[in-house]
Amino acid sequence: MHRKTVAAVFIFICALNQICWGALTNINQLFSEGEKAFQVKDFKAAAQNFSKAVKLAPENLRTRFRYGQALFSLNQYSESYNQFQAILQNSPNNIVARVYLCENLIKLSRGAEAEAHLQWILKVQPGHDRAKELLSQLQNSGKEEIPSGFSPLPVKDVQVSIEEEAEEIQTIESAPETRTAKFSNQNFEPEKKEEVLPPTAVDSNTWDVAQFIKSNEDSFLINLEYGRYSLERGDLQSARTSLARAERLAKSNQDTRKFLEVQILTSLALIYEKDFRAFGKHLMKLKPLLSKQSYKSFLNIYNQARELESEVEKVRLTAGIAMGAGHYAVASDLLKAALAQNPGDILLANLLAEAQMQNLDYRGAETTLSDIARQNQKNAESYFNLSRFYLTASYKPEMARKCAEYAKSLKPQDPRISVMLALLDYAEGRIDTGITRLKQLLPQLEDPGFKSICTRIIEDGKYADSTSGSKRIDFAEVMALPGAMHAPKSSYRLIAVDYLKNGSFFSAMRFFLMAQDLAEVGRTYLGLSSALHISGEEKSASIAAGFGLKALQDELSRNPYSSRANLYLALYHFERKEFSDAARAVKAGLNGDVDRGTGKRLTALLNSLNKTSEMGF
């Protein structure tokens, strides 16, 4: 049952469909469909449409706001929180978004953070009814149970219990819990602080990431985030080192929430090492601190692993967990080693191809997909997948056509393959032929993604010069996956924004640097500074802000009117109530070559500054 589920979730073609579809879909149409679904309370369909629209236009705040609302209605509070957090990073005065942020924080048992936001709202709008209601609920509620950012892993429920059969773990459970007692929720009382402005940046002559980490060796959050980053890179040894340091810092401060945040990531590291015995013992130490739901989720993983007999089944389980957590490098390493020992395992090969694609290891994915096709020469799907690879990840139209034509010979009635061939006609300059075929195929298609591709290509074809073969769009670039050889460096920004949205600062930094985008590097440092400030690490917050300002200054030295760099600089000053400096940065940004999304945010910030001036601040 588990193997079928993993195969269905991670089958390679789904990922390619989604990426290609996202590159060409009309954003307004997606938003409209999402609105229709939202009105009839079909929140799942609404979230799907808004999600795709956000991927196409991550800076569209209206779409992101509705996506956050839909996720909240689906009880996906962690993801909903990420959307409203992203909105507030660029529009800090959006009161409605801040209220939704608080709603999510409360659902995530992060009441102390919600309370700080609510108090700020009531200072700005003393009569805000919902803010007063939420604050009243918090002040009358119990203490927190779950660490921030933790959401239970979706694993199959099983009936075997640790207490019944794991003898060594039973011993640990019955032993006195002296080590963890001082971290129990009963002994933890969040320190209440008066609201303070974010700290001023410490001057820095560099924005180098390695130097920043070295300057913050004693920071809990930096060690935690570097541990998270190491898991995302697949470096388990570095992850364990950073997490062990973060754990010592959490213990020294007797902070239960921080301690648990470390333990969640440590648990994943143990799972990835396939050391399920150590994972079980670790789980029992944490049991008194976990909510029932959290404990049950981890317990299910342990019980599933214990039921598996072969090493390859354990790898499938572990890799599935890693891929579900977005740790594709870990999954790639596990699956590659397992496939070497089991070269004929097609399920392992498909999982490996998906992990390699998501990890941007396109060369490795090409080898894997080619091997799958060779081993399944009568399987049209294998050759269709390989054809799509040569269109999106490695632009080789001749290879894409060869694979697509062979797939069609095996499955001539599959309209997706015909669409692929029509797209290749268009790509190779036979625009009229390609458009004609797409129009013919449109009624046969059931997949809305493919219909969207056809519609967009047909519309683009109207503006193309079919006699000369020139195209209004760079087809290869539009179809390129982020990080592909034929994709622009700016494509890395899409990946970086996703990481930043999910709070993975160092991975976001890595891809912004690959995109050569210092404005976004500066933004990431400033976001990390805000997180450090909320965490109570003022010294590190000042250092991070200094590194962020240095990145913005270097960008502005190259392009004084960079709209995004000026926006992030203005937000830095605005949050610290340095309104004159903020206004200068806003005006400089508006005088430059400003895109629509950044222009809206700059204008909104300027309006806020004007209101602040009218109020006498």
Side-chain angles (χ1 to χ4, degrees), residues 295-323:
Y295 172 70
K296 184 178 179 181
S297 295
F298 281 115
L299 175 61
N300 287 341
I301 293 174
Y302 171 81
N303 286 331
Q304 285 186 71
R306 188 179 57 178
E307 288 183 324
L308 299 176
E309 297 180 358
S310 70
E311 183 67 17
V312 70
E313 288 179 320
K314 292 180 181 179
V315 169
R316 287 172 184 157
L317 171 65
T318 306
I321 293 168
M323 293 171 80

PDB file of all heavy atoms in Angstrom, residues 295-323:
ATOM      1  N   TYR A 295       3.220  13.302  18.326  1.00  0.00           N
ATOM      2  CA  TYR A 295       3.821  12.035  18.751  1.00  0.00           C
ATOM      3  C   TYR A 295       3.322  10.878  17.883  1.00  0.00           C
ATOM      4  O   TYR A 295       4.098  10.019  17.458  1.00  0.00           O
ATOM      5  CB  TYR A 295       3.485  11.777  20.220  1.00  0.00           C
ATOM      6  CG  TYR A 295       3.891  10.404  20.695  1.00  0.00           C
ATOM      7  CD1 TYR A 295       5.229  10.071  20.855  1.00  0.00           C
ATOM      8  CD2 TYR A 295       2.936   9.427  20.964  1.00  0.00           C
ATOM      9  CE1 TYR A 295       5.609   8.802  21.272  1.00  0.00           C
ATOM     10  CE2 TYR A 295       3.299   8.160  21.382  1.00  0.00           C
ATOM     11  CZ  TYR A 295       4.636   7.858  21.536  1.00  0.00           C
ATOM     12  OH  TYR A 295       5.013   6.590  21.935  1.00  0.00           O
ATOM     13  N   LYS A 296       2.029  10.855  17.604  1.00  0.00           N
ATOM     14  CA  LYS A 296       1.467   9.767  16.809  1.00  0.00           C
ATOM     15  C   LYS A 296       2.055   9.746  15.403  1.00  0.00           C
ATOM     16  O   LYS A 296       2.324   8.672  14.840  1.00  0.00           O
ATOM     17  CB  LYS A 296      -0.053   9.917  16.737  1.00  0.00           C
ATOM     18  CG  LYS A 296      -0.741   8.769  15.996  1.00  0.00           C
ATOM     19  CD  LYS A 296      -2.254   8.957  15.993  1.00  0.00           C
ATOM     20  CE  LYS A 296      -2.948   7.821  15.241  1.00  0.00           C
ATOM     21  NZ  LYS A 296      -4.411   7.993  15.199  1.00  0.00           N
ATOM     22  N   SER A 297       2.278  10.921  14.820  1.00  0.00           N
ATOM     23  CA  SER A 297       2.841  10.986  13.479  1.00  0.00           C
ATOM     24  C   SER A 297       4.222  10.348  13.430  1.00  0.00           C
ATOM     25  O   SER A 297       4.528   9.553  12.541  1.00  0.00           O
ATOM     26  CB  SER A 297       2.918  12.440  13.008  1.00  0.00           C
ATOM     27  OG  SER A 297       1.630  12.996  12.876  1.00  0.00           O
ATOM     28  N   PHE A 298       5.060  10.704  14.396  1.00  0.00           N
ATOM     29  CA  PHE A 298       6.405  10.130  14.432  1.00  0.00           C
ATOM     30  C   PHE A 298       6.370   8.650  14.805  1.00  0.00           C
ATOM     31  O   PHE A 298       7.156   7.849  14.307  1.00  0.00           O
ATOM     32  CB  PHE A 298       7.294  10.909  15.407  1.00  0.00           C
ATOM     33  CG  PHE A 298       7.824  12.189  14.836  1.00  0.00           C
ATOM     34  CD1 PHE A 298       7.451  13.414  15.359  1.00  0.00           C
ATOM     35  CD2 PHE A 298       8.698  12.164  13.763  1.00  0.00           C
ATOM     36  CE1 PHE A 298       7.939  14.595  14.833  1.00  0.00           C
ATOM     37  CE2 PHE A 298       9.194  13.344  13.224  1.00  0.00           C
ATOM     38  CZ  PHE A 298       8.818  14.558  13.761  1.00  0.00           C
ATOM     39  N   LEU A 299       5.465   8.289  15.688  1.00  0.00           N
ATOM     40  CA  LEU A 299       5.341   6.886  16.078  1.00  0.00           C
ATOM     41  C   LEU A 299       4.973   6.028  14.879  1.00  0.00           C
ATOM     42  O   LEU A 299       5.483   4.899  14.717  1.00  0.00           O
ATOM     43  CB  LEU A 299       4.279   6.744  17.178  1.00  0.00           C
ATOM     44  CG  LEU A 299       3.939   5.316  17.631  1.00  0.00           C
ATOM     45  CD1 LEU A 299       5.169   4.635  18.206  1.00  0.00           C
ATOM     46  CD2 LEU A 299       2.808   5.347  18.644  1.00  0.00           C
ATOM     47  N   ASN A 300       4.097   6.548  14.018  1.00  0.00           N
ATOM     48  CA  ASN A 300       3.708   5.796  12.824  1.00  0.00           C
ATOM     49  C   ASN A 300       4.904   5.527  11.915  1.00  0.00           C
ATOM     50  O   ASN A 300       5.018   4.451  11.318  1.00  0.00           O
ATOM     51  CB  ASN A 300       2.626   6.564  12.058  1.00  0.00           C
ATOM     52  CG  ASN A 300       1.288   6.509  12.758  1.00  0.00           C
ATOM     53  OD1 ASN A 300       1.046   5.648  13.592  1.00  0.00           O
ATOM     54  ND2 ASN A 300       0.412   7.446  12.432  1.00  0.00           N
ATOM     55  N   ILE A 301       5.787   6.507  11.806  1.00  0.00           N
ATOM     56  CA  ILE A 301       6.987   6.313  10.983  1.00  0.00           C
ATOM     57  C   ILE A 301       7.832   5.184  11.556  1.00  0.00           C
ATOM     58  O   ILE A 301       8.304   4.297  10.829  1.00  0.00           O
ATOM     59  CB  ILE A 301       7.811   7.613  10.916  1.00  0.00           C
ATOM     60  CG1 ILE A 301       7.037   8.692  10.157  1.00  0.00           C
ATOM     61  CG2 ILE A 301       9.153   7.353  10.230  1.00  0.00           C
ATOM     62  CD1 ILE A 301       7.719  10.042  10.162  1.00  0.00           C
ATOM     63  N   TYR A 302       8.027   5.212  12.860  1.00  0.00           N
ATOM     64  CA  TYR A 302       8.836   4.169  13.502  1.00  0.00           C
ATOM     65  C   TYR A 302       8.214   2.794  13.266  1.00  0.00           C
ATOM     66  O   TYR A 302       8.903   1.826  12.908  1.00  0.00           O
ATOM     67  CB  TYR A 302       8.951   4.446  15.000  1.00  0.00           C
ATOM     68  CG  TYR A 302       9.589   3.290  15.752  1.00  0.00           C
ATOM     69  CD1 TYR A 302      10.959   3.135  15.778  1.00  0.00           C
ATOM     70  CD2 TYR A 302       8.792   2.338  16.389  1.00  0.00           C
ATOM     71  CE1 TYR A 302      11.546   2.046  16.430  1.00  0.00           C
ATOM     72  CE2 TYR A 302       9.360   1.263  17.046  1.00  0.00           C
ATOM     73  CZ  TYR A 302      10.738   1.126  17.069  1.00  0.00           C
ATOM     74  OH  TYR A 302      11.312   0.054  17.703  1.00  0.00           O
ATOM     75  N   ASN A 303       6.917   2.696  13.461  1.00  0.00           N
ATOM     76  CA  ASN A 303       6.249   1.398  13.315  1.00  0.00           C
ATOM     77  C   ASN A 303       6.270   0.899  11.880  1.00  0.00           C
ATOM     78  O   ASN A 303       6.429  -0.295  11.628  1.00  0.00           O
ATOM     79  CB  ASN A 303       4.805   1.502  13.825  1.00  0.00           C
ATOM     80  CG  ASN A 303       4.743   1.560  15.343  1.00  0.00           C
ATOM     81  OD1 ASN A 303       5.606   1.018  16.027  1.00  0.00           O
ATOM     82  ND2 ASN A 303       3.737   2.240  15.870  1.00  0.00           N
ATOM     83  N   GLN A 304       6.110   1.796  10.929  1.00  0.00           N
ATOM     84  CA  GLN A 304       6.200   1.386   9.530  1.00  0.00           C
ATOM     85  C   GLN A 304       7.581   0.851   9.208  1.00  0.00           C
ATOM     86  O   GLN A 304       7.734  -0.187   8.550  1.00  0.00           O
ATOM     87  CB  GLN A 304       5.893   2.576   8.614  1.00  0.00           C
ATOM     88  CG  GLN A 304       4.415   2.934   8.548  1.00  0.00           C
ATOM     89  CD  GLN A 304       4.183   4.012   7.505  1.00  0.00           C
ATOM     90  OE1 GLN A 304       4.283   3.765   6.313  1.00  0.00           O
ATOM     91  NE2 GLN A 304       3.875   5.211   7.953  1.00  0.00           N
ATOM     92  N   ALA A 305       8.604   1.555   9.679  1.00  0.00           N
ATOM     93  CA  ALA A 305       9.979   1.128   9.394  1.00  0.00           C
ATOM     94  C   ALA A 305      10.257  -0.239  10.002  1.00  0.00           C
ATOM     95  O   ALA A 305      10.934  -1.084   9.404  1.00  0.00           O
ATOM     96  CB  ALA A 305      10.967   2.164   9.934  1.00  0.00           C
ATOM     97  N   ARG A 306       9.723  -0.488  11.191  1.00  0.00           N
ATOM     98  CA  ARG A 306       9.985  -1.766  11.854  1.00  0.00           C
ATOM     99  C   ARG A 306       9.302  -2.923  11.123  1.00  0.00           C
ATOM    100  O   ARG A 306       9.794  -4.058  11.129  1.00  0.00           O
ATOM    101  CB  ARG A 306       9.477  -1.699  13.303  1.00  0.00           C
ATOM    102  CG  ARG A 306       9.880  -2.908  14.116  1.00  0.00           C
ATOM    103  CD  ARG A 306       9.387  -2.788  15.538  1.00  0.00           C
ATOM    104  NE  ARG A 306       7.943  -2.606  15.581  1.00  0.00           N
ATOM    105  CZ  ARG A 306       7.269  -2.517  16.727  1.00  0.00           C
ATOM    106  NH1 ARG A 306       7.908  -2.560  17.870  1.00  0.00           N
ATOM    107  NH2 ARG A 306       5.969  -2.370  16.711  1.00  0.00           N
ATOM    108  N   GLU A 307       8.181  -2.636  10.440  1.00  0.00           N
ATOM    109  CA  GLU A 307       7.475  -3.684   9.718  1.00  0.00           C
ATOM    110  C   GLU A 307       8.164  -4.063   8.410  1.00  0.00           C
ATOM    111  O   GLU A 307       7.958  -5.145   7.882  1.00  0.00           O
ATOM    112  CB  GLU A 307       6.048  -3.222   9.406  1.00  0.00           C
ATOM    113  CG  GLU A 307       5.143  -3.164  10.624  1.00  0.00           C
ATOM    114  CD  GLU A 307       3.731  -2.763  10.235  1.00  0.00           C
ATOM    115  OE1 GLU A 307       3.585  -1.934   9.310  1.00  0.00           O
ATOM    116  OE2 GLU A 307       2.781  -3.274  10.825  1.00  0.00           O
ATOM    117  N   LEU A 308       8.979  -3.162   7.891  1.00  0.00           N
ATOM    118  CA  LEU A 308       9.624  -3.418   6.606  1.00  0.00           C
ATOM    119  C   LEU A 308      10.782  -4.391   6.785  1.00  0.00           C
ATOM    120  O   LEU A 308      11.579  -4.264   7.711  1.00  0.00           O
ATOM    121  CB  LEU A 308      10.127  -2.103   5.992  1.00  0.00           C
ATOM    122  CG  LEU A 308       9.044  -1.059   5.708  1.00  0.00           C
ATOM    123  CD1 LEU A 308       9.663   0.233   5.197  1.00  0.00           C
ATOM    124  CD2 LEU A 308       8.017  -1.594   4.721  1.00  0.00           C
ATOM    125  N   GLU A 309      10.876  -5.328   5.871  1.00  0.00           N
ATOM    126  CA  GLU A 309      11.888  -6.367   5.986  1.00  0.00           C
ATOM    127  C   GLU A 309      13.134  -6.089   5.162  1.00  0.00           C
ATOM    128  O   GLU A 309      14.244  -6.351   5.594  1.00  0.00           O
ATOM    129  CB  GLU A 309      11.287  -7.724   5.579  1.00  0.00           C
ATOM    130  CG  GLU A 309      10.150  -8.181   6.491  1.00  0.00           C
ATOM    131  CD  GLU A 309       9.590  -9.521   6.063  1.00  0.00           C
ATOM    132  OE1 GLU A 309      10.064 -10.065   5.035  1.00  0.00           O
ATOM    133  OE2 GLU A 309       8.681 -10.026   6.752  1.00  0.00           O
ATOM    134  N   SER A 310      12.960  -5.571   3.956  1.00  0.00           N
ATOM    135  CA  SER A 310      14.109  -5.399   3.070  1.00  0.00           C
ATOM    136  C   SER A 310      14.668  -3.978   3.156  1.00  0.00           C
ATOM    137  O   SER A 310      13.966  -3.021   3.496  1.00  0.00           O
ATOM    138  CB  SER A 310      13.719  -5.708   1.631  1.00  0.00           C
ATOM    139  OG  SER A 310      12.857  -4.714   1.122  1.00  0.00           O
ATOM    140  N   GLU A 311      15.931  -3.863   2.799  1.00  0.00           N
ATOM    141  CA  GLU A 311      16.594  -2.562   2.809  1.00  0.00           C
ATOM    142  C   GLU A 311      15.973  -1.621   1.781  1.00  0.00           C
ATOM    143  O   GLU A 311      15.817  -0.422   2.027  1.00  0.00           O
ATOM    144  CB  GLU A 311      18.082  -2.746   2.518  1.00  0.00           C
ATOM    145  CG  GLU A 311      18.903  -1.465   2.560  1.00  0.00           C
ATOM    146  CD  GLU A 311      18.989  -0.856   3.951  1.00  0.00           C
ATOM    147  OE1 GLU A 311      18.701  -1.581   4.935  1.00  0.00           O
ATOM    148  OE2 GLU A 311      19.336   0.334   4.056  1.00  0.00           O
ATOM    149  N   VAL A 312      15.595  -2.163   0.628  1.00  0.00           N
ATOM    150  CA  VAL A 312      15.037  -1.310  -0.414  1.00  0.00           C
ATOM    151  C   VAL A 312      13.692  -0.727   0.010  1.00  0.00           C
ATOM    152  O   VAL A 312      13.368   0.423  -0.319  1.00  0.00           O
ATOM    153  CB  VAL A 312      14.909  -2.098  -1.741  1.00  0.00           C
ATOM    154  CG1 VAL A 312      13.812  -3.156  -1.671  1.00  0.00           C
ATOM    155  CG2 VAL A 312      14.631  -1.128  -2.898  1.00  0.00           C
ATOM    156  N   GLU A 313      12.912  -1.459   0.770  1.00  0.00           N
ATOM    157  CA  GLU A 313      11.634  -0.926   1.262  1.00  0.00           C
ATOM    158  C   GLU A 313      11.880   0.206   2.260  1.00  0.00           C
ATOM    159  O   GLU A 313      11.139   1.196   2.272  1.00  0.00           O
ATOM    160  CB  GLU A 313      10.823  -2.051   1.918  1.00  0.00           C
ATOM    161  CG  GLU A 313      10.253  -3.049   0.926  1.00  0.00           C
ATOM    162  CD  GLU A 313       9.478  -4.157   1.614  1.00  0.00           C
ATOM    163  OE1 GLU A 313       9.931  -4.635   2.679  1.00  0.00           O
ATOM    164  OE2 GLU A 313       8.425  -4.550   1.091  1.00  0.00           O
ATOM    165  N   LYS A 314      12.912   0.065   3.066  1.00  0.00           N
ATOM    166  CA  LYS A 314      13.248   1.134   4.013  1.00  0.00           C
ATOM    167  C   LYS A 314      13.709   2.388   3.274  1.00  0.00           C
ATOM    168  O   LYS A 314      13.409   3.511   3.684  1.00  0.00           O
ATOM    169  CB  LYS A 314      14.319   0.660   4.984  1.00  0.00           C
ATOM    170  CG  LYS A 314      13.831  -0.413   5.949  1.00  0.00           C
ATOM    171  CD  LYS A 314      14.936  -0.867   6.900  1.00  0.00           C
ATOM    172  CE  LYS A 314      14.420  -1.946   7.840  1.00  0.00           C
ATOM    173  NZ  LYS A 314      15.474  -2.443   8.765  1.00  0.00           N
ATOM    174  N   VAL A 315      14.438   2.177   2.189  1.00  0.00           N
ATOM    175  CA  VAL A 315      14.877   3.326   1.397  1.00  0.00           C
ATOM    176  C   VAL A 315      13.675   4.040   0.785  1.00  0.00           C
ATOM    177  O   VAL A 315      13.603   5.273   0.770  1.00  0.00           O
ATOM    178  CB  VAL A 315      15.853   2.878   0.295  1.00  0.00           C
ATOM    179  CG1 VAL A 315      16.100   4.011  -0.705  1.00  0.00           C
ATOM    180  CG2 VAL A 315      17.178   2.444   0.916  1.00  0.00           C
ATOM    181  N   ARG A 316      12.717   3.265   0.273  1.00  0.00           N
ATOM    182  CA  ARG A 316      11.530   3.889  -0.311  1.00  0.00           C
ATOM    183  C   ARG A 316      10.787   4.720   0.730  1.00  0.00           C
ATOM    184  O   ARG A 316      10.329   5.832   0.448  1.00  0.00           O
ATOM    185  CB  ARG A 316      10.615   2.818  -0.888  1.00  0.00           C
ATOM    186  CG  ARG A 316      11.127   2.179  -2.173  1.00  0.00           C
ATOM    187  CD  ARG A 316      10.256   1.001  -2.559  1.00  0.00           C
ATOM    188  NE  ARG A 316      10.767   0.288  -3.732  1.00  0.00           N
ATOM    189  CZ  ARG A 316      10.481  -0.964  -4.010  1.00  0.00           C
ATOM    190  NH1 ARG A 316       9.692  -1.662  -3.211  1.00  0.00           N
ATOM    191  NH2 ARG A 316      10.979  -1.535  -5.097  1.00  0.00           N
ATOM    192  N   LEU A 317      10.638   4.160   1.920  1.00  0.00           N
ATOM    193  CA  LEU A 317       9.965   4.902   2.988  1.00  0.00           C
ATOM    194  C   LEU A 317      10.731   6.173   3.319  1.00  0.00           C
ATOM    195  O   LEU A 317      10.164   7.269   3.381  1.00  0.00           O
ATOM    196  CB  LEU A 317       9.834   4.015   4.231  1.00  0.00           C
ATOM    197  CG  LEU A 317       9.351   4.722   5.503  1.00  0.00           C
ATOM    198  CD1 LEU A 317       7.921   5.235   5.328  1.00  0.00           C
ATOM    199  CD2 LEU A 317       9.437   3.798   6.708  1.00  0.00           C
ATOM    200  N   THR A 318      12.030   6.021   3.543  1.00  0.00           N
ATOM    201  CA  THR A 318      12.851   7.164   3.951  1.00  0.00           C
ATOM    202  C   THR A 318      12.900   8.229   2.866  1.00  0.00           C
ATOM    203  O   THR A 318      12.772   9.430   3.150  1.00  0.00           O
ATOM    204  CB  THR A 318      14.281   6.688   4.292  1.00  0.00           C
ATOM    205  OG1 THR A 318      14.213   5.654   5.263  1.00  0.00           O
ATOM    206  CG2 THR A 318      15.110   7.824   4.834  1.00  0.00           C
ATOM    207  N   ALA A 319      13.087   7.803   1.625  1.00  0.00           N
ATOM    208  CA  ALA A 319      13.140   8.764   0.519  1.00  0.00           C
ATOM    209  C   ALA A 319      11.804   9.476   0.353  1.00  0.00           C
ATOM    210  O   ALA A 319      11.760  10.670   0.050  1.00  0.00           O
ATOM    211  CB  ALA A 319      13.528   8.053  -0.774  1.00  0.00           C
ATOM    212  N   GLY A 320      10.696   8.746   0.545  1.00  0.00           N
ATOM    213  CA  GLY A 320       9.385   9.380   0.465  1.00  0.00           C
ATOM    214  C   GLY A 320       9.210  10.461   1.511  1.00  0.00           C
ATOM    215  O   GLY A 320       8.667  11.530   1.238  1.00  0.00           O
ATOM    216  N   ILE A 321       9.692  10.200   2.736  1.00  0.00           N
ATOM    217  CA  ILE A 321       9.622  11.207   3.801  1.00  0.00           C
ATOM    218  C   ILE A 321      10.484  12.412   3.442  1.00  0.00           C
ATOM    219  O   ILE A 321      10.069  13.567   3.605  1.00  0.00           O
ATOM    220  CB  ILE A 321      10.072  10.594   5.138  1.00  0.00           C
ATOM    221  CG1 ILE A 321       9.061   9.534   5.596  1.00  0.00           C
ATOM    222  CG2 ILE A 321      10.225  11.667   6.209  1.00  0.00           C
ATOM    223  CD1 ILE A 321       9.545   8.676   6.747  1.00  0.00           C
ATOM    224  N   ALA A 322      11.691  12.140   2.930  1.00  0.00           N
ATOM    225  CA  ALA A 322      12.588  13.228   2.560  1.00  0.00           C
ATOM    226  C   ALA A 322      11.993  14.091   1.451  1.00  0.00           C
ATOM    227  O   ALA A 322      12.047  15.324   1.496  1.00  0.00           O
ATOM    228  CB  ALA A 322      13.943  12.661   2.131  1.00  0.00           C
ATOM    229  N   MET A 323      11.390  13.458   0.461  1.00  0.00           N
ATOM    230  CA  MET A 323      10.799  14.216  -0.638  1.00  0.00           C
ATOM    231  C   MET A 323       9.582  15.003  -0.165  1.00  0.00           C
ATOM    232  O   MET A 323       9.342  16.136  -0.596  1.00  0.00           O
ATOM    233  CB  MET A 323      10.441  13.270  -1.776  1.00  0.00           C
ATOM    234  CG  MET A 323      11.669  12.652  -2.439  1.00  0.00           C
ATOM    235  SD  MET A 323      11.289  11.347  -3.626  1.00  0.00           S
ATOM    236  CE  MET A 323      10.816  12.312  -5.054  1.00  0.00           C
TER     237      MET A 323
END
